[in-house]
Amino acid sequence: MLLAQILAVLIFVVMFGLIIIELFERQWITLVCGALTLLLVFGLGLHSWTAVKETLNVGNIFTLDFWYAAGKAHESSSGINWATIIFIAGMMIMVEGMARVGFFRWLCMRLAKAVHYKVLPIFLTFMIMSAVLAMFIDSITVILFLATVTIELSQLLKFNPLPMILSEIFCANLGGSATMCGDPPNIIIGTSFGYSFMDFLTNTGAIAGISLVFVVIYFFLVYRKDLKSSEAVDVSAFPTPESAITDKKGFIISSVIFGCAVILLVTHATTGLTVATIGLFIAIVTLITAPKHIPEIMKKVDYKTILFFIGLFVVVGGLEQTGLLEIVAGFIGKISGGNVYLMIAIIIWVSAIASAFVDNIPFAATMIPVVQSLSVTMGVPLTTMTWSLSMGTDIGGSATPIGASANVVGTSVAGKAGYPVGWGKYCISAVPATIIVMVISTVFIFIRYL
């Protein structure tokens, strides 16, 4: 067992280090480390075929509970979380279908026109829209289209788009924390413990809603002087929102599919349909309704992220099978001395600080068995632990340019348009906003759950 533990730790540390330095594409890093976990940790260290089967977890896909689980509670399972993989893949296909018909650009232009192309109202509206869209759609997609349209509007309205883009990035990460499907760590947490869309919305969603008010005020006060149009412009020459639609029939169909996805997610605790079922259904409907565009849609799906998840789950499964995560849970319990308030604060703030510098997805996947073990040994409700982990990992990543995928995408789009973003420029506004949300989260959790 000791050899297996040493090998598991070495593989995990090497994986994290390689992800941070970005020497290779991250999906190859996790897949290779996952293969080494299967061969060295389970084969050489544990000599356990059972550990391999539990980690690959393929058999779970062929059970009824995986697709339909009305009224049944779930427990965190070791290894690859196939429900997360299938759901994310399904939503990616839906989003690519929406992007193809111009849905996101149409929405941005429609809102800009609704506020008469005035810069400060656009600034406030886009922040709120970023948060709301990220509740249902991957924040990377939200920022990709928002940042692009923001730059286009800045050229027409003659203002600096960087403050608006940085604010949109933060609000996308905040909005993603509000729901189960808004951010990958939440998807992993929800599918691991059987939480519903409404479970997240009424808990992390409440925290995100309160925080959004303070965040919008904060960014308005910080950037209001920077977002003034440098000269008068003639808005009559602007492109109409309708010009963004590339396929009117496809636009209507995509809008209906998106509405169905939202309804299915909101009601899945009642219907018993799991997120894997919803993701697969939405993907199939998207492809069936656009048969001529199937190759185009499938080509744009982010397969690298899906492969990244698969390898990651195997490596974390190695830590779990060797008992290392129980040791980590015991260490946290010992440091807190049995003080529940201190334990929750450690989970929130350590998660936030770690997620500011390393990818929050592997961190969340690693911490799930830890909080489960802590809940059992310390007698603290699991939900209290998981909401703390969710807010820490989701929001902590907002503090730095590399803390979350949306940050990297948003700053990259700005840089290509001639507005480079360094660490200093990014952190000077994002770090205070992150601290504001983390303080609100900590106080909220203390008051509501403890």
Side-chain angles (χ1 to χ4, degrees), residues 103-149:
F103 178 88
F104 299 106
R105 192 167 182 273
W106 168 84
L107 181 60
C108 292
M109 298 303 290
R110 171 62 65 186
L111 288 174
K113 184 179 180 180
V115 295
H116 307 292
Y117 298 101
K118 296 184 183 298
V119 178
L120 279 176
I122 290 175
F123 174 60
L124 297 173
T125 304
F126 275 30
M127 275 197 290
I128 296 170
M129 178 174 63
S130 179
V132 172
L133 280 176
M135 292 170 64
F136 306 99
I137 298 172
D138 180 65
S139 58
I140 299 172
T141 302
V142 173
I143 289 304
L144 187 61
F145 285 93
L146 259 182
T148 303
V149 174

Side-chain angles (χ1 to χ4, degrees), residues 207-437:
I207 301 173
I210 295 168
S211 300
L212 182 61
V213 175
F214 287 89
V215 165
V216 169
I217 294 171
Y218 165 77
F219 280 117
F220 175 76
L221 294 175
V222 170
Y223 288 133
R224 68 188 186 282
K225 292 181 181 178
D226 298 324
L227 286 167
K228 290 184 178 178
S229 193
S230 59
E231 56 186 84
V233 293
D234 179 17
V235 298
S236 62
F238 281 18
T240 62
E242 288 69 27
S243 66
I245 301 173
T246 58
D247 179 350
K248 290 186 178 180
K249 181 181 177 182
F251 179 86
I252 295 170
I253 292 172
S254 293
S255 300
V256 172
I257 292 172
F258 177 59
C260 290
V262 172
I263 292 170
L264 288 172
L265 286 167
V266 171
T267 60
H268 80 95
T270 304
T271 62
L273 299 176
T274 65
V275 291
T277 303
I278 295 169
L280 183 61
F281 172 75
I282 291 299
I284 291 172
V285 172
T286 299
L287 296 175
I288 288 176
T289 54
K292 295 180 181 178
H293 301 280
I294 289 176
E296 176 188 348
I297 293 171
M298 295 303 295
K299 185 179 179 180
K300 292 184 178 180
V301 171
D302 188 0
Y303 296 104
K304 293 180 179 180
T305 295
I306 295 171
L307 293 172
F308 167 75
F309 271 107
I310 292 172
L312 167 66
F313 283 131
V314 174
V315 175
V316 174
L319 296 175
E320 190 173 2
Q321 290 285 346
T322 54
L324 284 166
L325 297 181
E326 290 183 9
I327 295 173
V328 173
F331 180 68
I332 294 175
K334 186 176 180 180
I335 289 178
S336 63
N339 185 315
V340 177
Y341 288 90
L342 180 57
M343 188 190 307
I344 294 299
I346 289 172
I347 291 173
I348 295 175
W349 287 90
V350 168
S351 298
I353 293 169
S355 296
F357 299 99
V358 299
D359 198 308
N360 61 1
I361 297 170
F363 185 84
T366 306
M367 285 297 292
I368 283 172
V370 173
V371 297
Q372 187 176 33
S373 180
L374 273 173
S375 175
V376 173
T377 56
M378 305 304 294
V380 180
L382 181 60
T383 51
T384 306
M385 296 281 196
T386 49
W387 305 144
S388 305
L389 175 64
S390 172
M391 293 307 299
T393 52
D394 290 343
I395 304 304
S398 302
T400 65
I402 62 169
S405 300
N407 310 9
V408 177
V409 170
T411 53
S412 174
V413 171
K416 287 178 181 177
Y419 300 93
V421 185
W423 271 69
K425 186 179 291 186
Y426 185 96
C427 293
I428 199 168
S429 63
V431 170
T434 302
I435 293 172
I436 289 170
V437 177

Side-chain angles (χ1 to χ4, degrees), residues 24-44:
F24 307 100
E25 291 189 352
R26 64 178 191 168
Q27 76 275 9
W28 299 125
I29 295 171
T30 62
L31 286 172
V32 171
C33 289
L36 290 174
T37 298
L38 295 174
L39 292 171
L40 300 180
V41 177
F42 299 149
L44 182 63

